[in-house]
Amino acid sequence: MTTTVDSILAEYAGAGRDALIPILQRVQEREGYLSTDAIVRIGEKLDLPAAKIYGVATFYNQFRFQPRGKNHIMICRGTACHVKGSAKVLENISHRTGVEPGRTSRDGQFSIEVVACMGACALAPAVNVNGHFYPKVSPTKVDRLIQDCRDEETN
Amino acid sequence: MIKFEVDNVSVEAKEGDTILGALRRNGVNVPTLCHMEDLAPTGACRICVVEVDGMRGLVPACSYPVAEGMKIKSRSPRVIEARRTVTQLLLANHPDDCLYCSRSGNCELQTIATELGVRQRLYRGQRATRKLDVSSPSVVRDPEKCILCGRCVRMCEEVQGVSAIDFIGRGSSTVIGTAFDRGLNVSSCINCGQCIVVCPTGALTERSHVDEVIAALADPDKYVVVQHAPAISVTIAEEFGVKPGTDADGRLVAALRRAGFDKVFDTSFSADLTIMEEGSELISRIRNNGVLPMITSCSPGWIKYVETFYPQLLPNVSTCKSPQQMLGALIKSFFAQTQGIAPEKIVSVSIMPCTAKKFEAQRPEFAPNGLPDVDYVLTTREAARLLRTCGINMERLEPDNADTPFGERSSAGKIFGAGGGVMEAAIRSAHFLLTGKELSEPKLTALRGTKDRKEMQLDIDGLKVGVAVVSGLGNARTLMNEIAAGRSDIHFIEVMACPGGCVGGGGQPIGLDRESVKERMKTLYNIDRDDALRVSHKNANVQRLYREFLGEPLGHRSHELLHTHYGKRDVLR
């Protein structure tokens, strides 16, 4: 795992602290999240304290610090989806799965990511699970969606 | 000189002055919650805004330079309204528990709200519940009281070079936290407590042990002894409203005795002892081609810093315990034996200018057979709190002397409290140990003063010794990097974690500024100037201790009781 981070860092030889965000993005792209080890390694490379990197990374919604769950749920919180009640959808999904936005459940089944806009405004409110779009998600649809994910696991 | 106008009065400022600096010098108080002396302004809190003629918006005084002909309004209704609103917004999600807050009475937020006449709650913001971080043995963090001014973050990063904490998250959910939001105890925090001293509110405080000490004092089965560090007597009076630089040594001793301590000892005694051991260690390292430069080990914040950031330099660090731990070890061994008291019955308290001493006291290295050498550490602030709780009026007491056998001190031990003092004391004694003669002039001016870094080249009967003194860990880092890069003209280094040394320690009275640190230092050096005994090696009680118990410096007993070893620390950094 460390080797992935190292290979990314190798591409940024001689880089300064201004390269931090692109590096974080690359690492998350490859590993799915930013691990403690990865942040420490990046810090050593860029001569930045871990607390500073964590501070920068938590400023942006895009970074996560736990591996994705088996079912990675992205919820759109863009304007159109908001108007169509995505706040309630997010609350529902969070409640049903017991996972807070940006985090992963203990059993590794679910992770939730809040997205600013998925570009699917016509389908508002839109939810995406592991790359598959669910249009016009109502609270009742949420229950079935989560149940489907759980059933798939037991089958 | 720049001429400008404030509230229709013509005044002058220096080139490059900020509005804040210029106004303050001209008798106009400008409130601020984020400004820090000697650091670049951030303009974070917006309390310091003023009106400038010709400018549309209000201008933050802390970060805006004065210009020729500028017309400033510092107390217009618009300015006062803006300041009040900012204060009210800060209070909107602040816990309403001033009465129970340890900073009540010297809280900057409280003071500003009072001064601006904020007398009712205008906004009720959503209160976020955030957990208290009590994981550290030294520092307690209460994020609910935090106003996000950023002073602690800047102190930790820019002055101390530690960066254990930073702004985490964004917008209204921002908090100050460690990497991965873990406890301070597993972060790279070195417990120096400088964050506490700069915090305007009660968000950062020391882990208090006042109640434990009060309980011990009331327990008839316990024998409670106390030691107070060299820098305490010149600062504790400030807690009672006396001006900085007032020495209260004798009255402090009398007050502690009144509080019920069975014995009152002076850590300056073990500072003298430290000099004997450390001086001998330095000479031995020089004569036997040991690892050089040797670095002092009195400052526990510095020790944790080396363990965390420069483990490769651990062989350079003196093996001497700090004066607190030396005296702690002697109290539960030599003192217990000679008095016929079981060590388990002794409660050993120390009053220190330092929060890192709390961490040091609970290190496993200093608890032989599980019995800690020092049980409780109180900061200067807590000691004052203890005296207040016990209803002791220090000012009305007759000065008293500390108890034998650890009460007598030389003034060399006393100046340990000032950055550069350890080095000065060490040189005085090393000179004697090497040549058999006293230094012709015990005052080493090059090592004095509030400068972050002082260096000196000595010639002791042909032996060339280079010494350096640094305080503030950012400065220590610079010097350590020079040493790592191969600098070899320095043989002995004094490092103090806090800027200015112990007089500027993280356990000292709140409201620390450069001027009070200077005054405290001056008082220590005046004590030294007027003292009859100015060298550690002539301390009769130290000599007696060697004769009757320890043997000789670096001897077997010394090694067992007064020396230790530190190791690499694996924390997130």
Side-chain angles (χ1 to χ4, degrees), chain B residues 140-443:
Chain B
V140 176
R141 297 193 314 119
D142 184 353
E144 288 191 11
K145 289 180 187 165
C146 175
I147 57 164
L148 300 173
C149 67
R151 282 192 193 162
C152 53
V153 173
R154 303 188 67 205
M155 179 51 89
C156 197
E157 182 180 351
E158 294 175 39
V159 178
Q160 297 296 57
V162 173
S163 282
I165 45 173
D166 208 324
F167 289 94
I168 308 296
R170 183 181 55 192
S172 60
S173 59
T174 308
V175 285
I176 306 288
T178 59
F180 297 95
D181 260 332
R182 297 182 185 176
L184 212 50
N185 61 332
V186 290
S187 74
S188 57
C189 170
I190 52 129
N191 306 305
C192 69
Q194 286 297 315
C195 54
I196 300 175
V197 183
V198 295
C199 181
T201 71
L204 289 159
T205 48
E206 69 272 296
R207 172 86 161 264
S208 177
H209 292 99
V210 174
D211 290 344
E212 287 86 338
V213 172
I214 289 176
L217 287 169
D219 188 339
D221 291 332
K222 296 289 183 197
Y223 191 87
V224 192
V225 301
V226 64
Q227 54 168 310
H228 62 96
I232 304 300
S233 74
V234 297
T235 55
I236 194 160
E238 287 171 45
E239 281 284 332
F240 300 98
V242 181
K243 72 171 184 7
T246 309
D247 184 41
D249 195 34
R251 279 178 290 137
L252 172 64
V253 172
L256 292 172
R257 204 161 276 152
R258 199 57 88 76
F261 288 101
D262 294 297
K263 291 283 177 198
V264 181
F265 297 133
D266 190 341
T267 315
S268 308
F269 166 86
S270 52
D272 280 336
L273 191 62
T274 305
I275 289 300
M276 296 307 291
E277 293 292 328
E278 209 162 57
S280 307
E281 186 186 352
L282 176 67
I283 291 165
S284 150
R285 284 191 190 218
I286 291 174
R287 284 194 178 141
N288 306 321
N289 284 324
V291 182
L292 288 171
M294 186 173 95
I295 313 174
T296 57
S297 56
C298 306
S299 171
W302 158 244
I303 294 296
K304 190 170 179 227
Y305 186 82
V306 180
E307 290 178 317
T308 307
F309 296 96
Y310 288 93
Q312 72 275 18
L313 286 177
L314 280 167
N316 294 68
V317 173
S318 162
T319 59
C320 289
K321 290 182 186 175
S322 71
Q324 163 178 278
Q325 294 305 143
M326 281 198 185
L327 195 51
L330 286 171
I331 286 168
K332 291 205 180 173
S333 59
F334 173 70
F335 177 76
Q337 277 168 36
T338 51
Q339 301 286 310
I341 306 167
E344 301 78 37
K345 271 191 71 175
I346 297 178
V347 175
S348 184
V349 179
S350 69
I351 301 174
M352 293 286 142
C354 181
T355 48
K357 289 281 176 198
K358 289 174 183 278
F359 164 76
E360 184 184 45
Q362 53 99 67
R363 288 182 70 118
E365 289 94 332
F366 304 132
N369 312 317
L371 189 68
D373 285 333
V374 173
D375 295 284
Y376 303 114
V377 179
L378 304 181
T379 59
T380 315
R381 301 186 289 266
E382 289 171 272
R385 222 173 289 151
L386 173 75
L387 295 182
R388 268 188 231 115
T389 306
C390 296
I392 293 162
N393 186 348
M394 203 165 74
E395 251 176 290
R396 299 294 290 271
L397 297 177
E398 280 301 312
D400 212 344
N401 289 322
D403 286 298
T404 47
F406 309 133
E408 192 193 354
R409 57 143 185 87
S410 76
S411 64
K414 189 70 182 170
I415 57 173
F416 261 57
V422 176
M423 184 58 76
E424 189 165 335
I427 291 171
R428 288 180 193 172
S429 288
H431 188 275
F432 178 81
L433 294 174
L434 278 167
T435 65
K437 287 178 297 199
E438 296 295 343
L439 215 55
S440 53
E441 173 52 60
K443 180 180 175 184

Side-chain angles (χ1 to χ4, degrees), chain B residues 69-83:
Chain B
M70 205 177 233
K71 288 194 168 83
I72 296 169
K73 287 183 193 138
S74 79
R75 50 175 165 76
S76 66
R78 193 175 162 213
V79 167
I80 291 173
E81 186 55 34
R83 288 180 184 168

Side-chain angles (χ1 to χ4, degrees), chain A residues 17 34-36 39-40 44 47-52 54-56 58-61 65, chain B residues 153 157 162-171 177-182 477 572-573:
Chain A
R17 56 198 293 166
L34 300 174
S35 65
T36 314
I39 285 185
V40 169
E44 283 165 0
D47 197 17
L48 280 171
K52 181 115 286 187
Y54 186 67
V56 169
T58 52
F59 184 87
Y60 300 99
N61 274 340
F65 306 93
Chain B
V153 173
E157 182 180 351
V162 173
S163 282
I165 45 173
D166 208 324
F167 289 94
I168 308 296
R170 183 181 55 192
T178 59
F180 297 95
D181 260 332
R182 297 182 185 176
R477 171 170 287 206
L572 272 185
R573 60 191 176 91

Side-chain angles (χ1 to χ4, degrees), chain A residues 89-111:
Chain A
V89 174
L90 172 62
E91 195 190 308
N92 245 319
I93 293 179
S94 191
H95 180 73
R96 290 276 300 171
T97 55
V99 183
E100 275 173 60
R103 304 191 71 100
T104 303
S105 62
R106 279 200 182 179
D107 59 5
Q109 283 304 310
F110 295 100
S111 56

Side-chain angles (χ1 to χ4, degrees), chain A residues 118-145:
Chain A
M118 297 201 278
C121 305
L123 310 176
V127 170
N128 179 315
V129 182
N130 295 337
H132 185 264
F133 274 95
Y134 291 82
K136 300 184 178 166
V137 181
S138 63
T140 40
K141 266 194 181 173
V142 165
D143 294 351
R144 209 166 54 233
L145 196 149

